Amino acid sequence: MNIVVLKETVSGEQRVALMPDAVKNLVALKAVVSIESGAGLGAARTDDDYAAAGASVVADRKALLADADVLVVVNRPLADDFSRLKKGAVVLGFLRPLDEPHALTPALERGVTTFAMELVPRITRAQAMDALSSMATVAGYKAVLLGANRIPRMFPLLMTAAGTVPPARVLVLGAGVAGLQAIATARRLGAVVEAYDVRAAAGEQVRSLGAKFLEVDLGGIQTEDKGGYAVELSEEALKRGRDLIAEHAKTADVIVTTAQVPGKHAPVLMDEAAVSGMKRGSVVVDLAGATGGNVTLSKPDQVVERDGITLMAPTNLPGTVPVHASQLYSRNVTAFLSLLIKDGELHIDMNDDVVGPSCVTHGGKWMNQRVASGLEATRPANIQML
Ligand code: NAD
């Protein structure tokens, strides 16, 4: 079985899907691993590092695609790449099946089997494959550094002969994986941290990191589903949260927003008035930019200045920490691949409780009900549904 890794084509992407250590583990499972020359350079890994780990390094991208039994990617391949794969080949990576399902039609038409890391169920058995959590961890960490780098002051409390420097104040909105990492990072840098989340369960985690949890009376409504994820709130409940946030935003030096509701537009947590109420020199880092943003004024991948306040909404922070992001990601995908490899051969068991739910297309059919619903409105007549 030939596992192929290509150089990522998305602009500015520095990550690589497999690091050399992961290659060694796959070779130990009797797989053959081939990598496009230069694919690891953004993550500080050379062709020699890959060769030493047991991979074949190949310059011809088209030949690699044609030979691939499994193509492992960070970002979804181009339509042209799908068309060069063999029928029955497997593609594994962040494929954005829920927000851009139609972009996977070329894979469906080619008879390619696609597995999306976004769909890996968050059950205990699949924890080692949870690439969303890995990338959220990196993003939460880096968001705080971006804010710290931008504000015109220091983070820690300092008592010096020239006077006392008070600590910076950081407000984190959404205390899931990214938010908790942002809190931990801001605390390590010495900031005083407050955080808000609609899930009451997040309160204990926030406090255990030494931050203050902001609570608001939402009238006892249900804020999370059975899986522990936030649900979409009513406008009234959102407004109560926004009022609380606007009050605490006035004293914050850095605000990191991470609030998401799976499969939905990100909730708006700060409007223009809330931003205008902030201090000059303060910074907002909106990590929900890819799903519409938590802050009305922020624009994906742009720096917006308003009355001395800076708003940033970087959509690929993990790509700016390519060594560790790639290391975590390649461990996640290797753990998933180990479910597909038996005696060095590809063996796909759709009844497996991790493999089946992660599959998007297989044998010319859409395999995931959530993806199928997203496609339904504009479904071309020739697409067969399960
Ligand atoms: P996410 O990225 O979907 O959302 C980020 C945070 O935004 C969540 O904490 C959510 O509650 C919050 N949020 C949503 N709407 C909000 C609003 N209007 N105001 C304020 N906050 C709002 O979530 P995530 O970080 O991927 O994880 C969320 C939950 O899943 C957490 O409980 C986490 O511990 C859990 N989780 C479990 C596993 C596992 O069991 N393997 C893995 C990862 C995460």
Side-chain angles (χ1 to χ4, degrees):
M1 185 182 67
N2 191 14
I3 298 174
V4 165
V5 175
L6 298 176
K7 204 170 160 55
E8 294 290 316
T9 52
V10 169
S11 161
E13 182 59 82
Q14 300 290 310
R15 288 171 293 176
V16 61
L18 291 178
M19 291 287 261
D21 280 354
V23 169
K24 268 189 213 159
N25 292 336
L26 290 167
V27 169
L29 290 175
K30 300 190 200 148
V32 174
V33 181
S34 309
I35 185 155
E36 185 177 356
S37 176
L41 288 177
R45 297 297 182 271
T46 62
D47 288 353
D48 287 348
D49 294 332
Y50 282 97
S56 325
V57 181
V58 179
D60 186 343
R61 186 180 174 92
K62 289 176 187 161
L64 276 169
L65 279 163
D67 281 348
D69 295 310
V70 178
L71 173 64
V72 192
V73 293
V74 179
N75 301 291
R76 187 183 58 225
L78 304 169
D80 184 58
D81 291 337
F82 280 124
S83 72
R84 292 178 191 281
L85 288 167
K86 293 185 278 206
K87 188 169 185 267
V90 167
V91 176
L92 171 66
F94 284 127
L95 306 180
R96 310 192 60 175
L98 297 174
D99 44 347
E100 294 177 351
H102 288 286
L104 291 169
T105 302
L108 177 106
E109 288 173 348
R110 187 70 186 161
V112 167
T113 300
T114 49
F115 292 104
M117 293 308 284
E118 294 95 330
L119 297 180
V120 171
R122 281 170 145 178
I123 56 175
T124 308
R125 181 173 164 246
Q127 260 176 6
M129 305 160 209
D130 187 354
L132 284 180
S133 286
S134 298
M135 297 305 108
T137 299
V138 179
Y141 159 82
K142 191 66 188 276
V144 170
L145 298 192
L146 275 188
N149 193 37
R150 188 93 187 186
I151 57 168
R153 49 170 301 140
M154 295 189 280
F155 259 44
L157 165 75
L158 296 178
M159 288 182 193
T160 79
T164 300
V165 173
R169 299 187 70 88
V170 173
L171 174 60
V172 175
L173 306 178
V177 181
L180 291 173
Q181 191 54 235
I183 294 168
T185 305
R187 292 282 301 135
R188 280 185 211 114
L189 287 176
V192 169
V193 184
E194 294 181 322
Y196 171 69
D197 197 297
V198 287
R199 291 180 301 111
E204 198 180 318
Q205 292 167 311
V206 166
R207 284 187 282 267
S208 75
L209 291 170
K212 182 178 172 193
F213 187 60
L214 304 179
E215 286 178 79
V216 64
D217 180 7
L218 295 177
I221 57 163
Q222 189 201 343
T223 56
E224 60 186 274
D225 63 17
K226 276 186 262 159
Y229 286 97
V231 294
E232 210 170 18
L233 299 186
S234 66
E235 190 44 39
E236 166 59 22
L238 275 174
K239 186 180 171 319
R240 288 191 195 186
R242 277 201 290 267
D243 290 346
L244 175 85
I245 290 163
E247 206 41 50
H248 287 262
K250 289 178 188 165
T251 52
D253 295 294
V254 173
I255 299 183
V256 176
T257 79
T258 73
Q260 305 267 5
V261 177
K264 308 272 183 207
H265 194 280
V268 172
L269 302 184
M270 292 184 72
D271 57 15
E272 221 171 312
V275 171
S276 298
M278 292 176 70
K279 298 185 296 187
R280 282 191 83 78
S282 52
V283 174
V284 180
V285 184
D286 183 351
L287 289 190
T291 49
N294 293 138
V295 185
T296 47
L297 284 176
S298 69
K299 293 201 165 62
D301 295 317
Q302 288 184 34
V303 177
V304 176
E305 297 275 354
R306 174 63 74 98
D307 303 331
I309 297 142
T310 306
L311 297 113
M312 294 184 258
T315 57
N316 185 9
L317 281 185
T320 68
V321 192
V323 169
H324 283 136
S326 303
Q327 220 157 57
L328 296 172
Y329 184 72
S330 58
R331 284 181 199 147
N332 294 142
V333 289
T334 305
F336 190 94
L337 283 172
S338 69
L339 302 179
L340 304 183
I341 302 172
K342 231 183 196 168
D343 299 325
E345 296 301 321
L346 193 58
H347 174 85
I348 300 174
D349 175 8
M350 289 298 178
N351 292 320
D352 181 286
D353 61 0
V354 175
V355 175
S358 310
C359 186
V360 186
T361 63
H362 179 61
K365 291 179 182 161
W366 296 102
M367 300 290 285
N368 185 288
Q369 214 39 59
R370 281 159 76 204
V371 178
S373 322
L375 282 158
E376 194 64 21
T378 50
R379 174 161 62 98
N382 61 344
I383 294 179
Q384 243 188 307
M385 312 295 276
L386 256 195

